[in-house]
């Protein structure tokens, strides 16, 4: 077990470690009393797990109120008590659901997260946000409830589909751009090994990405300042997901596309260094993200951004970058965004 980080949030400590396969379900710090998995991650379990297992639907379908209710019912059925620990093995959807259920059951049980997708390893399982979707709104209902432990086993990535793997890499790239020069260089120079999921290099990549996320979250747990930087590429990305409908593009593809657009907004405002824009776009192209596509009408994207919670007086809130690893928040006039989405070269200031 290699500890990556010890994150103190709201008086609760989360220990984040890279573990070996034998340590995934280890009970070294108290019991794991119930394990939540989905139809895909169930296959990762030992044949006869010593812990009761609850299987929920895979993907976003598990973040539904009815599934939450079912899971809470299982907590009752298995007799979980105030000192019980709930574990979750899965992508970000399962870890969000299980951690949310644990956070409201008996006013909060301990949680151990075992993320199995790249996105969950570097993002969803780290930082204490939990939640489910509600009436068509993503992550509308949730809590801040940091896990006691996050156990990351990069070997679990072997069975993840290429699309889901690339989706997670989109968030890794974003994290590198925010402030990890060595990670950025690894992404630029070792793309073949990274795409081949080489476990040695992925340990290093995951460790570095998790460290950046921990630093940002530790400085701003409740997202009143710097944590918003983690939304680089997300204002455009969420709008694209809303216009295309869930599942057409993965979240990471949409974020990569959104990062390219955010770079263009920075250029249009004359605040972003042109060489940085080119370097970022070259990197996104290296991993095959469709960043030059204009897959949805500008009007739909603009409307989606205006509905988004990032809407502010005088424009839409964006996370932009001025130069390598330097991130800023700006409110941008809708006409500038429209020009970029219509892919015009001339942009009105
Ligand atoms: N809490 C947070 O801070 C936070 C941050 C980012 C994202 N999220 C949430 O995370 C979710 C997305 O997470 P995701 O990208 O992991 O998607 P996901 O959880 O939907 O998983 C994607 C698919 O991969 C499968 N899968 C996962 N691990 C596997 C493995 N090792 N082998 C084979 N199949 C595997 C899953 O069963 C699912 O079908 C969203 O709901 C998002 O809102 C939360």
């Amino acid at each position: 077990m290699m500890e990556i980080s010890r994150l103190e949030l709201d008086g609760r400590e989360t220990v984040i470690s890279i573990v070996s396969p034998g340590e995934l379900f280890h009970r070294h710090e108290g019991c794991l009393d119930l394990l939540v998995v989905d139809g895909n991650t169930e296959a990762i379990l030992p044949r006869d797990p010593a812990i009761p297992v609850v299987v929920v639907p895979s993907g976003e379908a598990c973040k539904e109120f009815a599934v939450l209710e079912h899971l809470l019912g299982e907590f009752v059925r298995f007799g979980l008590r105030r000192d019980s620990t709930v574990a979750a093995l899965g992508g970000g959807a399962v870890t969000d659901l299980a951690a949310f259920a644990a956070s409201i059951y008996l006013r909060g049980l301990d949680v151990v997260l075992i993320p199995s997708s790249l996105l969950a390893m570097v993002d969803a399982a780290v930082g204490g946000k939990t939640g489910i979707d509600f009436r068509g709104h993503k992550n509308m209902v949730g809590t801040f409830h940091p896990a006691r432990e996050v156990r990351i086993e990069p070997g679990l990535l072997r069975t993840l589909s290429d699309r889901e793997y690339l989706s997670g890499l989109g968030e890794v790239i974003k994290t590198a751009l925010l402030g990890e020069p060595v990670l950025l260089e690894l992404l630029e120079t070792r793309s073949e090994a990274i795409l081949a999921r080489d476990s040695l290099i992925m340990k290093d990549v995951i460790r570095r990405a998790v460290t950046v996320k921990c630093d940002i979250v530790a400085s701003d747990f409740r997202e009143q300042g710097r944590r918003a930087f983690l939304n680089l590429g997300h204002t455009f990305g969420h709008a694209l997901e809303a216009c295309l409908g869930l599942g057409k593009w993965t979240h990471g593809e949409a974020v990569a596309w959104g990062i390219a657009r955010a770079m263009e907004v920075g250029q249009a405002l004359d605040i972003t260094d042109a060489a940085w824009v080119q370097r970022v776009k070259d990197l996104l192209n290296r991993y095959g993200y469709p960043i030059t596509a204009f897959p949805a009408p500008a009007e739909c994207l603009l409307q989606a951004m205006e509905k988004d919670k990032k809407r502010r007086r005088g424009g839409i809130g964006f996370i932009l970058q001025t130069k390598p690893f330097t991130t800023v928040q700006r409110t941008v006039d809708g006409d500038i965004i429209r020009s970029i989405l219509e892919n015009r070269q001339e942009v009105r200031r």
Side-chain angles (χ1 to χ4, degrees):
M1 181 166 300
M2 178 179 84
E3 192 174 307
I4 308 180
S5 183
R6 230 166 236 268
L7 186 58
E8 169 123 13
L9 300 171
D10 250 8
R12 297 172 75 97
E13 189 177 61
T14 306
V15 180
I16 304 168
S17 313
I18 303 259
V19 303
S20 64
E23 291 167 322
L24 275 180
F25 307 105
H26 205 235
R27 300 165 170 217
H28 50 89
E29 266 192 47
C31 276
L32 302 182
D33 297 287
L34 183 131
L35 180 63
V36 185
V37 298
D38 72 13
N40 294 322
T41 57
E42 193 182 6
I44 299 168
L45 288 176
R47 187 160 306 167
D48 191 12
I51 323 158
V53 173
V54 178
V55 185
V56 297
S58 61
E60 205 62 23
C62 76
K63 289 177 65 172
E64 289 295 323
F65 212 88
V67 181
L68 171 72
E69 191 180 356
H70 169 74
L71 186 54
L72 292 171
E74 294 294 85
F75 288 3
V76 175
R77 188 163 77 88
F78 286 107
L80 298 197
R81 302 175 318 209
R82 183 65 197 86
D83 60 352
S84 300
T85 298
V86 171
L89 167 65
V94 172
T95 56
D96 271 11
L97 165 79
F100 180 47
S103 77
I104 57 175
Y105 185 81
L106 295 177
R107 299 196 179 83
L109 306 186
D110 272 5
V111 174
V112 171
L113 297 179
I114 308 174
S116 62
S117 70
L118 183 55
L119 188 131
M121 290 177 188
V122 299
D123 193 0
V126 178
K129 281 190 189 176
T130 82
I132 58 166
D133 306 329
F134 188 62
R135 302 210 170 150
H137 299 279
K138 247 187 96 69
N139 299 326
M140 182 69 130
V141 177
T143 55
F144 286 101
H145 187 70
R148 188 181 76 210
E149 262 189 78
V150 179
R151 299 178 185 176
I152 301 174
E153 205 288 84
L156 295 184
L157 297 173
R158 274 192 298 270
T159 51
L160 195 65
S161 71
D162 287 345
R163 279 198 87 199
E164 294 298 345
Y165 186 69
L166 265 180
S167 179
L169 269 182
E171 292 289 355
V172 173
I173 290 174
K174 176 206 75 183
T175 308
L177 301 180
L178 290 179
E180 227 292 14
V182 179
L183 180 56
L184 181 61
E185 209 180 304
L186 277 175
L187 287 161
E188 289 175 324
T189 57
R190 304 294 311 277
S191 54
E192 269 182 34
I194 290 171
L195 285 168
R197 311 179 195 193
D198 176 285
S199 68
L200 254 185
I201 193 145
M202 283 317 291
K203 265 185 202 163
D204 198 18
V205 163
I206 292 166
R207 181 178 63 81
R208 289 177 184 281
V210 167
T211 304
V212 174
K213 176 144 189 199
C214 287
D215 285 350
I216 293 176
V217 171
S219 67
D220 179 24
F221 179 38
R222 287 182 187 274
E223 198 164 327
Q224 278 150 355
R226 217 174 141 226
R227 189 166 184 170
F229 289 177
L230 293 167
N231 290 325
L232 176 65
H234 283 64
T235 305
F236 281 108
H238 284 153
L240 184 60
E241 287 176 303
C243 290
L244 293 180
L246 274 183
K248 282 259 169 59
W249 282 33
T250 63
H251 180 65
E253 283 171 337
V255 167
W257 183 87
I259 292 173
R261 301 291 83 76
M263 291 292 148
E264 289 164 1
V265 173
Q267 268 189 311
L269 296 173
D270 222 3
I271 60 168
T272 306
D273 173 47
W276 179 239
V277 174
Q278 198 50 53
R279 187 172 169 194
V280 171
K281 287 190 173 180
D282 286 348
L283 177 64
L284 296 170
N285 279 322
R286 183 181 294 274
Y287 287 89
Y289 293 107
I291 59 165
T292 52
F294 278 81
E299 213 41 57
C300 178
L301 291 163
L302 267 169
Q303 272 177 21
M305 284 184 225
E306 286 183 350
K307 271 198 223 144
D308 193 291
K309 46 193 174 200
K310 282 149 204 100
R311 172 96 186 122
R312 296 166 177 194
R313 196 176 306 200
I316 301 164
F318 283 93
I319 306 299
L320 306 174
Q321 291 203 296
T322 53
K323 58 183 183 190
F325 318 115
T326 307
T327 310
V328 292
Q329 253 181 309
R330 284 281 190 282
T331 302
V332 184
D333 186 86
D335 286 348
I336 293 180
I337 310 304
R338 186 187 309 277
S339 308
I340 284 160
L341 292 173
E342 289 171 351
N343 205 13
R344 279 198 253 120
Q345 297 305 309
E346 286 288 314
V347 177
R348 190 161 64 81
R349 298 269 163 80

